[in-house]
């Protein structure tokens, strides 16, 4: 397949806008793959704010960052992304990009998932701090019961963003079986 898969495409959307020195968000740290990718893109002078509600996820992310020797450019928190607005670093930041990898922690407790209400609250907070032409990337997994509810809520919300303010696009394989994940990207207009 020459087409980009969903996760590579999400990374392309991040890589296209993030430069050394930027401040970016990983709203669902999980096992830390995206946090590490973002830390590489922002370089030594940038900052990644990364969070997850689960201690296991925060620990796995911290270990991954230590191994790659990039922990110094990541502020890692065990907290819900809907609480980002309480962080002083977040309040004063111009955010270039954010990524949400929704759903549950791979190989973790499948009952602990992201939810529509908290995801939308976090998107709103980040959107306020987003730079012009900054992006919020959502990778939406909807094969589990809460995922379907969350998908509908997030799509309703993102579709409602005024087109004068933001471009909102979707990337999806429409002939795949079993509710494949898809990407929604919000890009703030100039
Ligand atoms: N991006 C991760 C990676 O690279 O490994 C995978 C993320 S995983 C699909 C989703 C994560 O979201 C889980 O680890 C879960 O604990 C976390 N999560 C659920 N609700 C959350 C919330 N309100 N705020 C932050 N993280 C949350």
């Amino acid at each position: 397949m020459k087409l980009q898969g969903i996760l590579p495409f999400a990374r392309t959307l991040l890589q296209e806008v993030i430069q050394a020195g930027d401040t970016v968000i990983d709203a669902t740290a999980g096992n830390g793959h995206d946090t590490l990718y973002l830390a590489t893109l922002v370089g030594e002078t940038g900052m990644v704010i990364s969070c997850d509600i689960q201690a296991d996820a925060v620990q796995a992310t911290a270990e991954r960052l230590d191994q790659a020797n990039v922990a110094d450019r990541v502020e890692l928190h065990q907290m819900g992304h809907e609480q980002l607005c309480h962080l002083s670093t977040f309040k004063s930041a111009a955010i270039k990009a954010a990524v949400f990898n929704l759903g549950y922690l791979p190989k973790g407790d499948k009952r602990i998932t992201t939810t529509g209400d908290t995801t939308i609250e976090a998107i709103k907070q980040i959107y306020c701090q987003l730079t012009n032409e900054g992006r919020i990337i959502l990778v939406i997994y909807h094969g589990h019961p809460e995922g379907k509810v969350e998908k509908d809520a997030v799509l309703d919300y993102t579709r409602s963003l005024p087109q004068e303010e933001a471009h909102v696009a979707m990337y999806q394989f429409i002939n795949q079986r079993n509710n494949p994940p898809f990407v929604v990207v919000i890009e703030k207009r100039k």
Side-chain angles (χ1 to χ4, degrees):
M1 177 169 87
K2 291 260 173 81
L3 285 171
Q4 274 196 304
I6 293 300
L7 293 177
F9 185 70
R11 289 195 167 187
T12 297
L13 291 170
L14 292 166
Q15 180 255 317
E16 281 175 349
V17 293
I18 297 172
Q19 295 177 328
D22 283 340
T23 300
V24 301
I25 310 271
D26 184 357
T28 53
N31 288 314
H33 299 281
D34 292 330
T35 302
L36 175 56
Y37 182 66
L38 293 172
T40 310
L41 291 178
V42 299
E44 286 176 10
T45 55
M47 178 171 62
V48 184
I49 302 172
S50 175
C51 64
D52 199 293
I53 49 172
Q54 295 192 67
D56 287 353
V58 172
Q59 191 183 336
T61 300
E63 284 169 10
R64 192 175 298 282
L65 298 172
D66 277 341
Q67 277 168 14
N69 213 17
V70 294
D72 55 340
R73 59 188 89 157
V74 180
E75 202 184 278
L76 184 58
H77 297 274
Q78 185 184 348
M79 63 169 216
H81 39 226
E82 66 281 6
Q83 305 293 330
L84 278 166
C85 62
H86 301 300
L87 296 177
S88 54
T89 40
F90 177 83
K91 281 190 244 182
S92 59
I95 306 292
K96 190 59 144 326
V99 62
F100 291 70
N101 214 306
L102 302 177
Y104 50 79
L105 184 63
K107 297 186 190 154
D109 184 340
K110 295 187 176 170
R111 293 167 303 179
I112 305 174
T113 74
T114 53
T115 63
D117 286 353
T118 48
T119 296
I120 290 167
E121 174 58 29
I123 294 170
K124 286 180 181 171
Q125 292 176 16
I126 295 168
Y127 186 78
C128 286
Q129 305 286 125
L130 202 62
T131 61
N132 289 346
E133 300 191 318
R135 291 178 179 171
I136 301 174
I137 287 104
L138 308 157
V139 183
I140 301 182
Y141 291 82
H142 55 110
H144 56 292
E146 176 57 35
K148 290 189 196 336
V149 178
E150 183 177 38
K151 174 197 77 166
D152 290 341
V154 168
L155 284 179
D156 281 351
Y157 172 70
T158 52
R159 283 184 178 124
S160 76
L161 288 169
Q163 68 175 44
E164 296 75 17
E165 273 184 30
H167 304 287
V168 183
M170 186 189 278
Y171 183 68
Q172 180 175 27
F173 289 88
I174 59 175
N175 67 335
Q176 286 182 354
R177 285 183 282 276
N178 301 324
N179 307 305
F182 62 94
V183 168
V184 169
V185 52
I186 302 166
E187 183 181 277
K188 207 171 196 176
R189 296 182 73 140
K190 267 193 190 167

